[in-house]
Amino acid sequence: DITFVPANNYTGTVTIPFNAYDTSGRRISGDVVITVGNDSGDSGDISYDTAKGRSVNFSVSDFNRFSNDETGYNLNYIRFRSLPSTSRGILYYKYSNSSSSKVSTSTSYYRGSNPYIDDITFVPNDSFTGTVTIPFTAYNTNGRQATGDIIIHVGQGSGDDINYSAQAGRTVNFSVNDFNNY
């Protein structure tokens, strides 16, 4: 439920130090690094940054915000128009679960029911660094749709921290999965 709201017209990098405590009480220090850019370039409709070899968990709030921005209504579900080449990485549903499966372009992933968007993870190929673009279509609760792109920057950031990026004027929602993975 934590959201970062950049100041109007701010672009640049914001670093927020934090302490994480594991279930044994051990403290781990890190930084949340938020890159706020302008509307130009390859920022995508939804964008994520990750270190080489580190997975990215999708957040339903990002897709719901996209649906509201584009259609004026909450999101119902998404469908992927195409999937990335396996040389770049693979999208998984319930990646860290024994019932893990690859994401499909013929499956709808929902905001409020199974299969959940929050259970989708992008796992980059171990040797890949660069940018991955994943096109999707969002279907809202009023029956309208909007197309967009997920942009994932792999190999940016230290790998020891949690990284987010956003366009200027857009909010960034923190994901509990990112902190748990950290």
Side-chain angles (χ1 to χ4, degrees), residues 38-98:
N38 56 30
D39 269 339
S40 62
D42 64 350
S43 57
D45 297 300
I46 297 173
S47 63
Y48 299 102
D49 290 326
T50 190
K52 180 180 176 182
R54 195 165 196 178
S55 63
V56 174
N57 298 310
F58 287 7
S59 173
V60 70
S61 60
D62 295 332
F63 292 89
N64 195 49
R65 183 176 56 247
F66 171 81
S67 179
N68 276 290
D69 288 348
E70 296 298 315
T71 71
Y73 290 91
N74 281 331
L75 177 72
N76 186 15
Y77 64 91
I78 64 166
R79 292 189 84 163
F80 295 99
R81 296 192 324 267
S82 67
L83 299 174
S85 161
T86 56
S87 66
R88 293 175 179 257
I90 298 173
L91 284 175
Y92 286 99
Y93 182 72
K94 293 193 173 185
Y95 175 62
S96 58
N97 189 305
S98 62

Side-chain angles (χ1 to χ4, degrees), residues 1 35-36 69 83 97 102 105 121-122 141 145 153 169 173 176:
D1 292 335
T35 304
V36 182
D69 288 348
L83 299 174
N97 189 305
K102 291 182 181 178
T105 57
T121 302
F122 174 74
T141 55
Q145 66 186 49
H153 302 281
N173 293 314
V176 69

Side-chain angles (χ1 to χ4, degrees), residues 16 79 111 128 134:
I16 305 167
R79 292 189 84 163
R111 177 174 64 99
F128 177 75
I134 306 169

